[in-house]
Amino acid sequence: MINKWKSILKIKVKGTLHNVQAKSEKRLVDYRLSNYDVSVNRNTKPERTKKILFVVERMAKYSGGQTSLLRLGTELSKLGHEVGYTVYKSQTKSDMEECASSNLSGYLGKMYTNKQLPNLKADIVIASSWDTVAFAKKIAGYKMYFIQDYEPYFFSFGELFLMARKTYEQGLHMVSLGAWNKEMIEKNCVPVSPVDWVDFPYESKEYPYHKRNYDSYSGKKEITMAVYLKYYGKRLPNITQYMLKQLKDRFLQEGIKLRVLYYGEDKSFQTVAGENLGMLSKKELLSLYRKADFGMVASMSNVSLVPYEMLATGLPLIEFEDGTFPYFFPEGSAILTSLDFEDLYGKLKESIQNPDLLKQRDGTAREYLSTLSWAKTAKQFDDIINHAAGMED
């Protein structure tokens, strides 16, 4: 009789949990549907390319994606364009400017609030994420889509996954940051508009090279690791922490203390095998990179600015071989690990004991990084716009 009641209670609890999850998911999907537009845009050749308007959800601090957007807009401003940024969520102009400045001091371009959105127009209108596409389509101008990641991967397979994927089939002229997004779109979608791409750059001035004594690594009794950690699955938060816990225990058996410093999430985010430093400013990031001995990132979808920043400072990098890092960087730029802790341990141990490996990777990464700049990427973007308008040199 007791087992019967336990079984009934278990079924009721499971049903209650499913109901809560279903309601939460319904609210999220309903909200996205309320702003979703399934129509396919029909672009006509722009007569001018002077005024460019980026559409974002809202300006937010500590956003790598918005930092890239602001860098692109700033460099396009330097090329003679009138650049603006508008949000579709409620936000004051002063707050937008404050958030933008925190991401990129001295950015160029004008901010427009959601209240101004209905009356805006531009020569070139650029959606910046899947949820901004519907708003961009309502603004007069040549419609483009700046793609910094393959956003269906932000969701489990289902409704939001499908909605995000379908935006690549809605007729906006797409420009991918790096070629990986372009490949994913052409492989998984049926685009009806151009899919171009520009180089993924970084800002070298903010993360200057820090000369390290790699020869000293073999004698260290404490090794500090800076680990970029986000809660969502594409950053492998649980696998990364599990592997580092095993790694920490193994090194401790050998008399070496592994100090793991996580960052990238709010300090309230609970971590294992290390300390969560929270979300860091550029100054704090640079300080962390300089004091760390290794950096670790899980770039499972489009690569972010983080591995570029780490390598630019001379910080030896650990990435996952199943991710996209090899797609962007030349072979021999970083330690590439599988999901096997023993593989990570073996490769890290080899690197510590053989400083020449660290020096070789550093040289390979720096040589590649020297070819990149936001000015170069913005010129590529400008060429794409001019080509669309039939204004090639």
Side-chain angles (χ1 to χ4, degrees), residues 129-235:
S129 56
W130 78 273
D131 55 300
T132 65
V133 168
F135 294 92
K137 283 195 273 186
K138 295 176 183 177
I139 302 172
Y142 184 81
K143 311 300 191 299
M144 298 188 73
Y145 193 171
F146 183 49
I147 300 169
Q148 297 194 55
D149 212 331
Y150 185 68
E151 292 186 293
Y153 280 177
F154 287 15
F155 310 103
S156 300
F157 184 78
E159 293 167 312
L160 293 174
F161 178 99
L162 177 63
M163 290 169 68
R165 192 179 68 183
K166 293 299 288 184
T167 60
Y168 303 136
E169 301 175 359
Q170 292 178 0
L172 284 74
H173 183 166
M174 293 174 276
V175 181
S176 167
L177 190 59
W180 183 77
N181 295 319
K182 171 181 168 68
E183 182 175 297
M184 293 298 291
I185 290 169
E186 292 177 339
K187 181 169 67 175
N188 297 303
C189 310
V190 186
V192 295
S193 54
V195 188
D196 292 307
W197 67 278
V198 293
D199 286 324
F200 197 123
Y202 80 108
E203 182 45 63
S204 59
K205 294 178 182 177
E206 291 188 350
Y207 298 95
Y209 185 71
H210 177 62
K211 188 170 178 59
R212 299 167 192 270
N213 183 7
Y214 297 123
D215 291 321
S216 69
Y217 277 41
S218 59
K220 286 179 177 287
K221 293 302 180 183
E222 180 173 308
I223 296 172
T224 300
M225 189 178 294
V227 182
Y228 183 61
L229 194 72
K230 303 292 284 185
Y231 80 91
Y232 36 76
K234 69 170 188 166
R235 290 292 177 195

Side-chain angles (χ1 to χ4, degrees), residues 16-28:
T16 300
L17 288 174
H18 282 184
N19 188 42
V20 170
Q21 292 172 345
K23 286 183 177 179
S24 176
E25 182 75 8
K26 185 177 188 302
R27 282 195 297 269
L28 181 58

Side-chain angles (χ1 to χ4, degrees), residues 70-80 108 203 374-375 378:
L70 290 165
R71 289 196 187 283
L72 176 60
T74 296
E75 294 299 328
L76 287 171
S77 293
K78 292 177 182 178
L79 292 174
L108 298 178
E203 182 45 63
W374 274 102

Side-chain angles (χ1 to χ4, degrees), residues 79-93:
L79 292 174
H81 295 283
E82 295 176 8
V83 175
Y85 313 89
T86 187
V87 293
Y88 71 77
K89 284 192 172 181
S90 179
Q91 190 175 16
T92 64
K93 183 178 179 181

Side-chain angles (χ1 to χ4, degrees), residues 53-56 84-88 96 112-114 117 120 139:
L53 182 68
F54 290 96
V55 185
V56 299
Y85 313 89
T86 187
V87 293
Y88 71 77
M96 290 175 66
Y112 299 94
T113 69
N114 64 307
L117 184 59
L120 292 176
I139 302 172

